[in-house]
Amino acid sequence: MTTHKILVGDSRNLAAIPASSVQLIVTSPPYPMVEMWDNSFGRQDLSIKAALEANDGITAYHKMHFVLNKIWAECDRILSENGFICINIGDATRTINGNFQLYPNHTQVILFFQSKGYSVLPDIHWRKQSNSPNKFMGSGMYPAGAYVTYEHEYILVFRKGGKRLFSGESKKKRQKSAYFWEERNIWFSDLWDIKGTSQSITVPNTGRDRNASYPFEIPYRLVNMYSSEGDTVLDPFAGLGTTCLACMASNRNSIGVEIDPTIADLALKNIHVTPDALNGIIRSRLAKHVAFIDSLPAEKKEKCYQNTAHDFKVKTKQETAIKIDPIKSVLSAGNTVTCIYE
Ligand SMILES: C[S@@+](CC[C@H](N)C(=O)[O-])C[C@H]1O[C@@H](n2cnc3c(N)ncnc32)[C@H](O)[C@@H]1O
């Protein structure tokens, strides 16, 4: 059984969540200096609104990161020793007062966690390619006045302290939570080519006409890469609860915190899915694995191992204990959704 809570609140103060109580944080904050988030930051610190009105982009940028740093400090308190934090963030490009420049958000986040003593681990470039011919900016075909177009965002990965150790029951859960060899080869590469999610939702009273959600595949991979069955995952910028959904499909507990009550309400509805919706994800993951094994030449197939829980072969011994539990029921009460597994 796992539980998934959506809390309405400002993640600058997460007093309701005890210290060292989560093993993984997976999140995507509002991106400083991206216009759709100006109002959200402006509401959280009035001097940000003033800096933007005064066309002082650099001051606004630093003040926006000051807001995020308070949330990162709360994450640091809540994350257990040896836990991971994965942050999806994009840099911003913006013209203020006729001056076009890059606001490198990912560097500010790295500097924060480095200053807290975290190990900065190799990051992932999430490539969201656009085929639009109008994507290039500046002086067109004339030299010295055109700008490179960004089509990637970052997934930053930090670890608190040293390697996590597993023994006894936790070792068994870790073996059960292993991922497939062919998944490892894709998930642990530094370039993820994943289409952005549909941005069609209109959220009343927020000034936002886009949901800003990341595709399910992003938190699903991260949850499976950096946590083990039964762990608790926090998303301090829950949005529509995509991280919680990924946890439901992966037998992890989750807590999502969202400042906007309207969006938190939508998140609760969003994660109250049918077991079949989650089982569809699991079925397609297993089917992909079976197709991979089927695609191997006979001599390689012969060297494969038998997985003990599922009726298929696996490439390595480390995958023999993988067991992906289907969901039997999803129950909702108040701000909590409970998943029961078969
Ligand atoms: C980029 S969106 C996250 C989207 C989410 N990953 C999803 O898939 O739906 C950032 C969210 O953080 C929320 N937010 C902004 N400031 C916050 C704060 N101080 N505390 C909690 N949530 C905040 C915004 O309202 C927004 O919904």
Side-chain angles (χ1 to χ4, degrees):
M1 188 184 93
T2 58
T3 61
H4 309 272
K5 280 187 204 312
I6 301 286
L7 308 178
V8 182
D10 183 340
S11 290
R12 285 178 290 182
N13 179 358
L14 294 173
I17 307 177
S20 306
S21 60
V22 310
Q23 291 73 38
L24 172 66
I25 295 173
V26 172
T27 197
S28 181
Y31 301 169
M33 298 310 284
V34 168
E35 271 173 273
M36 81 174 272
W37 298 113
D38 284 359
N39 290 339
S40 173
F41 279 113
R43 278 193 296 271
Q44 294 180 57
D45 177 350
L46 291 177
S47 70
I48 292 175
K49 198 168 175 270
L52 287 170
E53 279 166 4
N55 283 330
D56 185 352
I58 288 293
T59 299
Y61 164 72
H62 285 294
K63 282 177 180 287
M64 288 176 187
H65 278 285
F66 195 68
V67 169
L68 293 187
N69 287 351
K70 287 194 176 148
I71 295 159
W72 303 142
E74 276 293 75
C75 289
D76 173 43
R77 181 183 65 78
I78 292 164
L79 187 64
S80 61
E81 196 62 17
N82 320 121
F84 284 86
I85 173 158
C86 304
I87 299 172
N88 163 226
I89 191 158
D91 290 344
T93 50
R94 188 155 171 175
T95 304
I96 292 184
N97 242 358
N99 181 32
F100 174 88
Q101 65 177 307
L102 178 75
Y103 294 90
N105 290 323
H106 78 285
T107 57
Q108 294 296 324
V109 181
I110 290 174
L111 288 173
F112 178 87
F113 282 98
Q114 211 167 36
S115 77
K116 287 274 178 195
Y118 279 61
S119 302
V120 180
L121 299 175
D123 56 49
I124 295 157
H125 282 211
W126 168 25
R127 188 162 161 80
K128 308 161 81 178
Q129 202 170 349
S130 153
N131 293 322
S132 159
N134 300 325
K135 67 185 178 186
F136 297 106
M137 295 173 286
S139 58
M141 267 50 72
Y142 292 131
Y147 310 111
V148 167
T149 297
Y150 263 20
E151 292 181 279
H152 69 274
E153 295 187 1
Y154 294 85
I155 295 166
L156 306 174
V157 184
F158 306 104
R159 187 175 57 211
K160 186 176 186 176
K163 266 193 186 168
R164 180 172 171 188
L165 300 176
F166 296 83
S167 62
E169 203 44 42
S170 77
K171 191 172 165 185
K172 280 196 192 136
K173 281 189 178 167
R174 184 194 196 199
Q175 288 165 343
K176 191 181 164 202
S177 310
Y179 26 80
F180 297 116
W181 179 87
E182 68 281 8
E183 288 177 331
R184 189 280 310 265
N185 297 347
I186 296 173
W187 294 359
F188 285 87
S189 66
D190 64 347
L191 188 65
W192 287 4
D193 224 319
I194 298 175
K195 270 207 181 102
T197 200
S198 148
Q199 299 276 323
S200 56
I201 199 166
T202 300
V203 185
N205 309 323
T206 60
R208 275 165 55 181
D209 58 1
R210 299 198 298 152
N211 66 21
S213 290
Y214 43 32
F216 175 87
E217 182 71 12
I218 301 263
Y220 187 66
R221 287 184 186 186
L222 295 170
V223 163
N224 280 281
M225 288 161 74
Y226 295 112
S227 71
S228 187
E229 185 184 302
D231 281 354
T232 300
V233 181
L234 168 72
D235 185 346
F237 298 101
L240 295 180
T242 321
T243 306
C244 296
L245 275 175
C247 291
M248 292 164 73
S250 313
N251 218 328
R252 273 70 160 174
N253 301 288
S254 68
I255 307 169
V257 186
E258 170 56 50
I259 200 168
D260 188 314
T262 314
I263 296 175
D265 202 41
L266 289 171
L268 255 180
K269 291 192 177 104
N270 200 29
I271 69 169
H272 190 197
V273 284
T274 60
D276 206 47
L278 296 170
N279 288 336
I281 291 158
I282 294 170
R283 274 196 301 272
S284 98
R285 182 175 175 198
L286 295 175
K288 258 194 210 160
H289 172 69
V290 170
F292 164 74
I293 294 290
D294 284 349
S295 74
L296 292 174
E299 68 276 13
K300 288 208 167 146
K301 227 181 266 179
E302 262 169 37
K303 289 190 187 139
C304 284
Y305 296 78
Q306 180 62 41
N307 176 278
T308 45
H310 297 282
D311 184 23
F312 50 58
K313 296 221 177 297
V314 287
K315 270 284 271 187
T316 65
K317 215 171 169 182
Q318 288 187 332
E319 301 158 80
T320 52
I322 292 178
K323 184 170 180 285
I324 304 176
D325 298 320
I327 289 96
K328 194 158 82 182
S329 52
V330 178
L331 312 165
S332 178
N335 66 353
T336 306
V337 167
T338 303
C339 274
I340 299 172
Y341 300 83
E342 278 176 17

